[in-house]
Amino acid sequence: MSEAEQDYSAAGEIGQVRTRRTATQRAWLALKKAPFSAWFGMIVIAAYGFVAIFAPLIAPYGESQVFPAPFAPWGGEHVFGTDQIGRDVLTRLIYGARNTIGIALATTLLAFVIGGGLGLVAAINRRWLDQLLSRFVDILMAIPSLIFALMLLSIFGSTITSLVIIIAVLDSTRVFRLTRAVAMNVVVMDYVEAARLRGEGLGWIMRREILPNIMPPLVAEFGLRFCFVFLTIAALSFLGVGIQPPTADWGSMVRDNASLIQFAQYDITAALTPLLPAAAIALLTVAVNFVVDWFLHKTSGLRDEH
Amino acid sequence: MNTKSGKGKVLLKMRDVRIDGFSDERWHEIVKGVDLTLRRGEVMGLIGESGAGKSTLGLAAMGFARPGCRLTSGEIVFDGIDLMAASETEKRVLWGRRIAYVAQSAAAAFNPAHRLIEQTVEATVGEANAAEARQDARELYASLQLPDPDHIGERYPHQVSGGQLQRVMTAMAMSPRPDLIIFDEPTTALDVTTQVDVLSAMRDIVEKFDTAAIYITHDLAVVAQMADFIKVLRYGEEVEEAPTRTMLSKPKQDYTKSLWSVRALAKPEEPADDIALSVENVDASYGGTVKVLHDVTIHAPRGRTVAIVGESGSGKSTTARVITGLLPPSTGRVVFDGEPLPAALRDRSKDQLRRIQMIYQMADTAMNPRHTVGEIIGRPLEFYLGLSGRKRDDRVNELLAMIELDESFIDRLPSELSGGQKQRICIARALAAEPQVIICDEVTSALDQIVQEGILKLLLRLQKEFGLTYLFITHDIATVKAISDEIVVMYQGGVVEQGLKSEILGPPFPDYTKLLLSSVPEMDPDWLTGLIAERDGK
Amino acid sequence: MHPVVTTVIQRLALGLMTLFFVSIIIFASIEMLPGDFGETVLGQAATEETVEAFRKELGLDKPSYVRYFDWIGSVMSGDLGTSFSGRASSGVDRSRPVIDLVAPRLWNTLFLAGMTAIIAVPLALFLGITAALYRNSLYDRTVNATTLTTISFPEFFVAYLLILFLASLTQTFPSLANVTADTPFLERVNKSALPALTLTLVIVAHMMRMTRAAIINLLASPYIEMARLKGVSRMRVILRHALPNAWAPIAVVIAFNLAYLVVGVVVVEVVFVYPGIGQLMVDAVTTRDIPVVQACALIFAATYILLNLTADIISIVTNPRLLHPR
């Protein structure tokens, strides 16, 4: 809305001129205004990323190094004790970050390549291809994805490759729907029509006109989908049909040590052992959700930005 | 129900009212200390452009602030009751019973789940006998000239037309016989021919019950029919206030004068025979079923402006889609420079595309919000003319100068421009292609009056300089007078007539043209009275 | 015909179609089995004849469309096939019909889901609606922050936290929900308390947030503002103006979350060793007992489709535009 009063001249009309800032300056400015929850989320994500990347340097022992004492108590040589066959729990947690997050990230990226690409094409094409893809996605989405994943895993077996592909394909349906929906909102804009009237090709329209305008919701969706994929993989591993031993992973760690929880009255630390990986999962999803929440809030008001 | 008494006594008094609106995560003042006094039985017109704060002020007269707004200071006294201090419960006793509100979009303001008559009498049944209130509502429907007044109330909102719904809402406001009605742009969403009927119905009923009213609008000609006096707002502040006739004949402020400057523009028509573009016997339909154009023929002489006028649904924009190739016609053809154009967009050559350009109504959606002005104007230069680097930038600067903007605009984003500047950039983008024909689709109707004038003058100047041919689609007769040489009148997908401006705007008229032209409100407080008398006389 | 009836029939037909395609997908899964599957099920020592007999039983010698109609025909008459487990290379067949495995467990799962829904749905609607009415209040923000956190928790984390505090440390509820067909009702409720509570916590968070969003969206409609400006009391605005238009969004929220519940049940059943269909499915996946997996998947998918269909139909029959056509 215009603020000051002024006599008329085209150049003097009041527009909202933003101060010219570099991308880094703008990012820093946004970060400074970010609420505590967003900061908390970003710090947690950064910490997880650090642990995941430098896992071999941080971990005290090898990923599947077995020690003589199974279910060793906390403290001493093993900060969080050992698991049911005598592997160091802290080491497994650290390697678990690498495996669990890495696999979830790869899956989400694949889901976005498939779902995002097809969603864009469907939004622009709008004819038989759109109809075909949309109906197919409707049917895939009529089966709960965890159930679908369980069924497919029983057929293809629980290797990491099949896990990544199955979850990515199932999850890409949701990415497809979102991309198609937001892209359709952009496709009907006059500037896309103007580009078509100018004679621009499909590639240019997709890359230059549509993609930049659908990035914010897609980035937010990436965070949410990552959480969902991460939780699905953790759930499958917990059920024993996801990531298989000896690969360290949080979902199966919970399952392996679950029986310890019965001994809470005698040794509370032992009972906490299965909760550690579960809490590690929860903390990361909470962190991502906080950041996404802030990001959504931020970008929804994009047009009024000064 | 309240009995009317004490005409001329002050009913509503607002002093130094300030209202904040919340945007960009902070509060901004949007109404900056406005005074307002309204006496019983008086109708005040509240006029201003978008963002002037008129709706906010109108709601404040009820002691109401929309979510995201807050009344910060000032005094609002309605018939001795301090609305700033009153609690929500105290105000609720007034709302609907002594102060009523008529909203802009009737379709959205009626609850889809209930019958019209139940909603009409909802505020009244608290005090009166329900059967009595319903009977009264039916009488109100009749005096508002609604068809079948005895039964229309049994319908649901989606079962009646927009113009009828707006009248039912007026009946709803009138049902408890309030002391004051706030009309918030009640006719803005209606077509001109419908607007006339709704306006006269509203005016009659307000007069009949001697109700005080605040009539909010951006259209001075409309308010002139309704109001005893007019207050002009701009940027949340009062510009001036005067009785209607004084305001129209002797406005004091330059700003007020500029409000109808467009109506003063008139381009002398120049006939021409050299036809640049013609649409010949075109039929078109969407999806092969719904026929939207029948046998449309339009000729556009080179270097002239052809205005295509008509109401919503008349097929004006569809004609533009046929010319640009977005909607290939089922029969007929488009001839450009003596050669027929391929029907579909993808069959046209780059050069054919270059020579016909288009400017849109909403400059906001016509520019990619992520591209800078330089990219927006530069792209056609690059695409059609193969300019790049330094040459391209120089040409962009030349084009900016042509549209009266300077080089500093080159790296702005659309969100950093005002409405008028955005439309100028769109004009520059069209010019960059060095076209012969430009299709202007309602290019000024989303703009404030004062900006409209600037844009129209710019278009006229560019036409002279480059010999451009304009196809100017609009529903606004004042704009037609300002820019056109020839006029095409369209109605329900067909052409009613085409001819020189003087021929179309002067008698003899075909019936529809006459209805359309006579329905356009004029800057004369007696226009509506005269028109209704004339129509009734026949 | 009345437009509501035609729309409902259309939607039902669409639901049946979806179910049909879903059954094809589930059936097709068996087609993708590797060729040496017989050996995997029957063990390395299986003779060629037993493997061949097994293939014949699966109908692998017939064209696939024939097998599909055989399969879907027997599914509709209540025959879900025979489990793979209990087969041995020796050819001795101790396998059981899938229906005998599924039926009692399906009842258990429905009991758990029903128990959860009875607590969770009213609670979530109450929290969601009050949070929407008192938007931005301390209450709203607290409920919001809490639910945002809970949504992010994996089900098994919530489950083990509850076990730790309510079973292991305080012995309030049993941590094993090993109900059988003869368990008396009250004991069954007591044993199912922790799984039901876990599911409730997870569902309420989602459902409350969605209800809140739906109600806020509804309250932003111009006709609600109009009703307020008519001086209608707060209660009447809610009951008369908001509620009749709220059925559709609320039905969608409930159906979505009950569908979510159907899936959430799998993990929770495994944690509490609750003998439901979810656990059965997970066991079958581990042993690659395809007929059981197919049966479970079909049941889950059918429930899912049915729930969404119900929400659609509620939206249709409460839509005034369809109820009162022009």
Side-chain angles (χ1 to χ4, degrees):
Chain A
M1 218 163 282
S2 308
E3 295 275 309
E5 209 166 326
Q6 210 167 323
D7 284 332
Y8 182 74
S9 86
E13 260 179 45
I14 302 127
Q16 302 162 318
V17 184
R18 236 174 287 162
T19 328
R20 292 270 142 228
R21 293 192 186 94
T22 64
T24 2
Q25 278 174 322
R26 274 207 301 274
W28 178 240
L29 217 80
L31 280 179
K32 271 204 300 196
K33 281 201 283 181
F36 170 74
S37 62
W39 268 107
F40 168 79
M42 282 183 280
I43 290 170
V44 170
I45 293 172
Y48 273 67
F50 181 82
V51 171
I53 292 166
F54 298 104
L57 300 177
I58 305 169
Y61 305 106
E63 184 175 353
S64 35
Q65 194 177 343
V66 179
F67 292 88
F71 288 135
W74 287 24
E77 284 182 29
H78 306 289
V79 180
F80 292 137
T82 57
D83 67 6
Q84 85 282 12
I85 56 168
R87 291 171 297 196
D88 183 61
V89 171
L90 178 63
T91 307
R92 302 282 287 173
L93 274 177
I94 292 170
Y95 274 99
R98 173 174 252 211
N99 300 328
T100 318
I101 298 175
I103 291 172
L105 206 58
T107 310
T108 318
L109 282 171
L110 186 59
F112 265 76
V113 170
I114 303 171
L118 292 179
L120 260 185
V121 171
I124 297 174
N125 176 280
R126 300 292 291 117
R127 281 185 293 270
W128 60 271
L129 189 61
D130 178 31
Q131 282 298 318
L132 191 76
L133 286 170
S134 297
R135 292 295 81 74
F136 184 62
V137 163
D138 284 348
I139 290 166
L140 285 192
M141 286 178 83
I143 309 177
S145 58
L146 185 69
I147 303 299
F148 210 158
L150 279 173
M151 194 180 83
L152 293 177
L153 284 172
S154 75
I155 291 156
F156 296 107
S158 298
T159 63
I160 287 182
T161 331
S162 60
L163 193 67
V164 168
I165 294 176
I166 288 171
I167 308 226
V169 168
L170 293 181
D171 221 48
S172 67
T173 54
R174 281 161 215 279
V175 182
F176 170 85
R177 275 211 182 160
L178 179 90
T179 314
R180 179 174 171 277
V182 290
M184 292 242 291
N185 287 340
V186 175
V187 166
V188 298
M189 288 289 177
D190 290 338
Y191 57 81
V192 177
E193 189 182 297
R196 288 175 57 201
L197 286 181
R198 191 159 62 229
E200 301 282 5
L202 189 66
W204 201 90
I205 292 181
M206 266 170 79
R207 221 175 50 250
R208 297 300 310 278
E209 303 285 357
I210 299 175
L211 208 53
N213 288 296
I214 61 172
M215 274 327 266
L218 285 189
V219 169
E221 183 67 10
F222 188 86
L224 295 178
R225 294 266 53 98
F226 171 79
C227 283
F228 188 82
V229 166
F230 183 64
L231 287 176
T232 308
I233 291 179
L236 288 170
S237 303
F238 171 78
L239 295 174
V241 294
I243 303 170
Q244 299 294 320
T247 312
D249 135 83
W250 291 338
S252 33
M253 283 178 75
V254 177
R255 176 195 181 83
D256 293 343
N257 298 302
S259 55
L260 286 176
I261 210 160
Q262 303 301 336
F263 306 110
Q265 280 180 318
Y266 315 105
D267 179 3
I268 186 71
T269 57
L272 288 180
T273 308
L275 287 178
L276 287 174
I281 295 168
L283 185 61
L284 181 59
T285 43
V286 169
V288 174
N289 264 318
F290 277 165
V291 176
V292 169
D293 211 45
W294 166 68
F295 182 79
L296 276 177
H297 186 76
K298 189 99 195 74
T299 49
S300 62
L302 198 68
R303 277 172 167 266
D304 306 323
E305 196 180 24
H306 274 275
Chain B
M1 284 177 214
N2 301 297
T3 47
K4 290 278 170 290
S5 62
K7 173 146 186 161
K9 270 172 63 181
V10 172
L11 181 66
L12 174 71
K13 195 171 175 68
M14 300 171 82
R15 276 185 51 76
D16 197 26
V17 171
R18 291 174 186 273
I19 304 168
D20 279 358
F22 193 76
S23 60
D24 307 333
E25 297 178 30
R26 62 196 175 95
W27 293 95
H28 303 263
E29 199 165 63
I30 51 177
V31 173
K32 302 163 186 164
V34 174
D35 295 344
L36 185 155
T37 308
L38 187 69
R39 293 165 200 283
R40 284 189 180 275
E42 272 181 348
V43 178
M44 163 186 263
L46 206 53
I47 187 165
E49 291 165 350
S50 52
K54 49 193 194 304
S55 286
T56 314
L57 186 67
L59 286 168
M62 305 178 74
F64 182 83
R66 286 219 163 101
C69 289
R70 62 177 187 199
L71 301 164
T72 48
S73 69
E75 206 180 288
I76 305 170
V77 181
F78 174 80
D79 203 19
I81 305 161
D82 182 359
L83 292 184
M84 286 298 272
S87 70
E88 172 107 6
T89 323
E90 288 167 312
K91 284 187 278 196
R92 206 178 283 140
V93 177
L94 299 177
W95 291 348
R97 292 171 186 77
R98 300 195 58 202
I99 314 177
Y101 178 71
V102 176
Q104 171 170 359
S105 167
F110 275 104
N111 192 323
H114 298 298
R115 292 177 197 280
L116 292 173
I117 195 152
E118 284 164 33
Q119 303 192 52
T120 309
V121 300
E122 188 172 14
T124 316
V125 285
E127 348 185 327
N129 179 322
E132 228 173 81
R134 277 159 192 269
Q135 186 49 41
D136 178 68
R138 285 189 275 268
E139 281 161 24
L140 285 172
Y141 293 156
S143 47
L144 283 158
Q145 289 153 21
L146 277 160
D148 193 13
D150 288 341
H151 302 106
I152 196 168
E154 302 306 316
R155 298 202 199 166
Y156 285 85
H158 61 274
Q159 295 173 321
V160 304
S161 74
Q164 291 169 353
L165 218 45
Q166 201 58 264
R167 277 182 268 182
V168 175
M169 186 144 57
T170 307
M172 179 164 87
M174 196 51 92
S175 168
R177 300 295 182 275
D179 300 295
L180 171 64
I181 300 184
I182 317 279
F183 290 97
D184 191 356
E185 305 244 17
T187 61
T188 307
L190 306 176
D191 271 326
V192 275
T193 50
T194 321
Q195 172 173 272
V196 171
D197 300 332
V198 175
L199 270 184
S200 76
M202 281 176 178
R203 191 181 62 170
D204 291 348
I205 202 149
V206 167
E207 263 169 29
K208 182 172 169 191
F209 296 108
D210 202 18
T211 314
I214 295 179
Y215 195 99
I216 299 164
T217 179
H218 65 280
D219 190 335
L220 195 60
V222 164
V223 83
Q225 315 307 318
M226 303 291 295
D228 301 318
F229 63 106
I230 295 174
K231 184 192 283 293
V232 181
L233 289 184
R234 191 188 196 198
Y235 304 143
E237 285 172 281
E238 179 177 324
V239 177
E240 66 177 308
E241 181 184 311
T244 303
R245 282 170 203 279
T246 322
M247 181 72 92
L248 293 184
S249 52
K250 291 191 273 297
K252 286 197 217 72
Q253 301 294 322
D254 288 342
Y255 175 71
T256 314
K257 284 176 203 157
S258 76
L259 282 177
W260 58 93
S261 52
V262 173
R263 296 173 190 266
L265 274 183
K267 171 189 146 98
E269 69 183 26
E270 296 171 70
D273 296 325
D274 179 17
I275 301 296
L277 179 106
S278 58
V279 177
E280 295 176 357
N281 307 97
V282 160
D283 281 16
S285 59
Y286 284 112
T289 44
V290 192
K291 203 168 177 189
V292 282
L293 291 183
H294 349 257
D295 197 22
V296 169
T297 300
I298 292 170
H299 300 287
R302 193 178 308 283
R304 300 291 180 267
T305 304
V306 176
I308 304 179
V309 296
E311 295 180 295
S312 51
S314 60
K316 333 183 273 289
S317 294
T318 310
T319 309
R321 291 176 68 83
V322 168
I323 297 171
T324 54
L326 284 170
L327 180 71
S330 43
T331 53
R333 57 181 196 163
V334 179
V335 179
F336 181 50
D337 253 352
E339 281 175 36
L341 278 178
L345 180 65
R346 62 173 173 279
D347 301 328
R348 296 187 183 176
S349 70
K350 217 174 187 179
D351 199 51
Q352 285 170 327
L353 293 173
R354 178 185 67 75
R355 290 188 294 166
I356 302 180
Q357 291 291 310
M358 172 118 180
I359 307 172
Y360 294 84
Q361 172 175 11
M362 307 297 288
D364 261 324
T365 61
M367 288 188 286
N368 192 326
R370 308 253 161 198
H371 292 178
T372 62
V373 166
E375 289 171 310
I376 291 167
I377 304 179
R379 180 61 191 170
L381 296 174
E382 215 171 72
F383 185 78
Y384 293 127
L385 311 172
L387 297 182
S388 60
R390 191 59 201 271
K391 272 188 183 157
R392 188 187 74 147
D393 292 347
D394 288 347
R395 180 67 184 151
V396 170
N397 285 333
E398 277 174 43
L399 285 161
L400 280 174
M402 271 180 221
I403 56 165
E404 297 153 23
L405 295 177
D406 58 58
E407 296 181 8
S408 73
F409 281 83
I410 198 159
D411 53 22
R412 284 204 199 172
L413 287 170
S415 57
E416 298 169 296
L417 304 170
S418 73
Q421 288 166 348
K422 283 179 198 161
Q423 200 55 286
R424 280 168 193 263
I425 301 297
C426 289
I427 293 172
R429 174 171 67 184
L431 279 184
E434 299 176 9
Q436 285 160 323
V437 174
I438 299 183
I439 301 171
C440 304
D441 189 359
E442 304 267 14
V443 290
T444 54
S445 56
L447 299 174
D448 289 340
Q449 300 271 339
I450 187 169
V451 182
Q452 284 188 17
E453 187 191 4
I455 296 285
L456 291 176
K457 282 184 174 158
L458 171 68
L459 285 171
L460 287 172
R461 203 195 75 220
L462 294 171
Q463 181 169 49
K464 279 231 172 61
E465 252 168 71
F466 302 104
L468 296 167
T469 307
Y470 293 144
L471 275 172
F472 207 95
I473 297 169
T474 182
H475 66 276
D476 182 37
I477 304 294
T479 311
V480 172
K481 286 181 185 154
I483 194 148
S484 67
D485 297 288
E486 292 196 15
I487 298 177
V488 175
V489 180
M490 291 190 73
Y491 179 62
Q492 292 186 349
V495 172
V496 178
E497 56 176 338
Q498 167 163 17
L500 285 172
K501 178 159 64 177
S502 56
E503 294 166 11
I504 302 286
L505 296 183
F509 303 107
D511 285 347
Y512 177 71
T513 307
K514 181 171 181 175
L515 177 71
L516 182 67
L517 290 177
S518 69
S519 299
V520 178
E522 286 169 23
M523 284 294 176
D524 168 9
D526 301 321
W527 164 79
L528 184 62
T529 318
L531 177 71
I532 299 296
E534 186 189 326
R535 285 190 186 174
D536 287 346
K538 276 210 293 197
Chain C
M1 223 188 314
H2 198 278
V4 169
V5 181
T6 40
T7 322
V8 167
I9 290 174
Q10 273 173 11
R11 215 45 70 90
L12 282 174
L14 197 69
L16 273 179
M17 275 262 286
T18 316
L19 202 55
F20 170 68
F21 281 112
V22 164
S23 72
I24 288 182
I25 290 181
I26 292 174
F27 170 78
S29 61
I30 204 167
E31 300 292 289
M32 290 187 253
L33 285 173
D36 60 349
F37 189 74
E39 282 99 76
T40 322
V41 170
L42 301 175
Q44 290 295 333
T47 60
E48 241 167 68
E49 292 86 76
T50 35
V51 172
E52 196 47 47
F54 180 57
R55 287 180 59 87
K56 197 153 192 163
E57 187 200 323
L58 289 183
L60 290 179
D61 50 346
K62 283 186 261 176
S64 43
Y65 69 91
V66 176
R67 270 177 291 136
Y68 171 74
F69 285 106
D70 285 352
W71 177 71
I72 199 77
S74 42
V75 165
M76 290 214 255
S77 58
D79 174 14
L80 295 169
T82 312
S83 164
F84 283 179
S85 73
R87 289 168 201 263
S89 48
S90 60
V92 184
D93 192 347
R94 275 192 296 274
S95 58
R96 301 169 58 193
V98 174
I99 186 79
D100 293 352
L101 290 169
V102 168
R105 285 161 173 266
L106 180 60
W107 158 243
N108 286 345
T109 295
L110 289 178
F111 180 84
L112 179 59
M115 187 169 156
T116 308
I118 288 172
I119 315 169
V121 172
L123 183 64
L125 291 184
F126 174 79
L127 286 176
I129 293 172
T130 44
L133 290 182
Y134 303 100
R135 203 173 355 171
N136 295 330
S137 66
L138 185 66
Y139 166 73
D140 177 32
R141 273 176 294 174
T142 317
V143 172
N144 238 326
T146 321
T147 50
L148 183 62
T149 315
T150 340
I151 301 189
S152 323
F153 286 0
E155 288 101 346
F156 53 78
F157 184 50
V158 178
Y160 283 122
L161 279 180
L162 288 177
I163 292 186
L164 180 63
F165 290 109
L166 295 179
S168 222
L169 286 175
T170 60
Q171 317 275 333
T172 318
F173 293 108
S175 68
L176 277 188
N178 50 345
V179 295
T180 61
D182 328 310
T183 315
F185 181 75
L186 281 180
E187 196 187 328
R188 187 179 264 265
V189 170
N190 188 41
K191 283 194 165 176
S192 313
L194 281 186
L197 195 56
T198 308
L199 285 170
T200 305
L201 284 178
V202 177
I203 293 295
V204 163
H206 270 114
M207 198 166 7
M208 174 267 155
R209 287 176 76 83
M210 289 171 68
T211 311
R212 177 181 179 275
I215 299 291
I216 285 180
N217 194 13
L218 189 71
L219 291 180
S221 330
Y223 59 78
I224 298 292
E225 181 184 277
M226 192 70 217
R228 289 189 63 197
L229 289 175
K230 274 200 282 183
V232 174
S233 71
R234 208 183 174 102
M235 211 54 211
R236 195 177 155 88
V237 169
I238 303 287
L239 291 181
R240 193 167 159 75
H241 289 273
L243 199 61
N245 297 294
W247 295 122
I250 288 180
V252 170
V253 171
I254 293 178
F256 183 91
N257 285 285
L258 290 184
Y260 185 90
L261 184 68
V262 166
V263 180
V265 120
V266 177
V267 171
V268 172
E269 282 179 3
V270 171
V271 173
F272 293 97
V273 202
Y274 184 89
I277 193 170
Q279 206 199 29
L280 176 68
M281 182 167 183
V282 172
D283 288 345
V285 169
T286 344
T287 57
R288 305 183 97 181
D289 190 347
I290 304 295
V292 176
V293 173
Q294 280 182 323
C296 294
L298 199 60
I299 291 169
F300 276 119
T303 321
Y304 205 74
I305 293 170
L306 201 70
L307 283 168
N308 287 320
L309 194 63
T310 317
D312 272 352
I313 291 175
I314 292 177
S315 310
I316 293 167
V317 298
T318 56
N319 183 344
R321 277 163 219 278
L322 286 173
L323 278 181
H324 315 287
R326 269 169 196 275

